[in-house]
Amino acid sequence: MKSKEQFVHSVFESIAPKYDLMNNILSFNRHKAWRKFTMKKLAATPGSAALDLCCGTCDWTISLAQASGSGRIVGLDFSANMLEIGRAKVAQAHLDDRIELVQGNAMELPFEDNSFDYATIGFGLRNVPDLVQVLKEMQRVIKPGGKVLCLELSKPTWQPFKGIYYFYFRKVLPNLGKLIAKRYEQYKWLPDSLVSFPDHKQLADIFRQTGLVQVEAYPLTGGIAALHIGIKKEK
């Protein structure tokens, strides 16, 4: 029996070539607007250093580099195939000299304490074996006063949209994955991963329990996704 970590790794290694296309389908093409909203809330200052966890194909990593202007930007992911696609995007954006991509584990970050101004994770927190551990690691590597941001799929709260969304997510999406990406089990797993994931209010509480302060939660597009922001306490 594969561990969650091994299984998730195999999922992303196999779906990497079609990940961006399927991301558009999965989010009804809303993920770009969600990222734009997130970057606005982040309000990155020029020269700031940022770490993007579970960076995948590097859309958000590139946005962080463009926002910070000259700061240190690091993208970390455990999937070599996802990073390969991300690396090509970074090169296409002419940001090779600004963005460092690292293959590594979000549960055990290979960075010193207080190294970054921001730590972000986009559509990755529900995939990790222990989300509390990842949030603690994100908090460890940012400076006091720095921000932890998580943009993640969430659970719609109002009917009839909730029922329609879950039908789409559980019944339609896996078949689209089979049709477009030639992967059924991998896209069947994505809705399964959301079932046990906390809703936006529960996740905000977890942010606070890990020691983050001034925690804010923003449900997006009827609760399909949510942005969470927390600040590391000043010493």
Side-chain angles (χ1 to χ4, degrees), residues 7 21 63 65 88 96 101 156 160 177 181 208 210 231:
F7 178 70
L21 174 61
S63 294
D96 318 55
L101 295 181
R208 294 183 189 101
T210 63
I231 296 176

Side-chain angles (χ1 to χ4, degrees), residues 76 104-111 133-134 137 140:
L76 178 139
N105 187 349
M107 302 267 291
E108 196 174 341
L109 297 176
F111 308 109
Q133 172 64 16
V134 170
E137 276 291 274
R140 177 183 68 78

Side-chain angles (χ1 to χ4, degrees), residues 155-167 170 222:
K155 298 175 180 178
T157 52
W158 51 275
Q159 292 287 14
F161 181 69
K162 182 179 179 180
I164 295 167
Y165 178 72
Y166 275 109
F167 175 80
R170 289 173 175 156

Side-chain angles (χ1 to χ4, degrees), residues 192-209:
D192 291 345
S193 72
L194 194 56
V195 171
S196 58
F197 192 71
D199 65 28
H200 74 272
K201 290 180 181 176
Q202 292 167 333
L203 187 55
D205 286 339
I206 293 169
F207 265 54
R208 294 183 189 101
Q209 288 161 17

Side-chain angles (χ1 to χ4, degrees), residues 79-100:
S79 167
N81 290 351
M82 295 286 275
L83 284 173
E84 187 179 342
I85 292 166
R87 199 166 278 113
K89 279 191 191 174
V90 168
Q92 193 174 15
H94 306 293
L95 289 167
D96 318 55
D97 58 336
R98 294 270 328 284
I99 294 174
E100 177 190 354

Side-chain angles (χ1 to χ4, degrees), residues 143-157:
K143 300 167 187 174
K147 292 180 183 176
V148 169
L149 286 92
C150 171
L151 176 60
E152 184 55 273
L153 294 176
S154 192
K155 298 175 180 178
T157 52

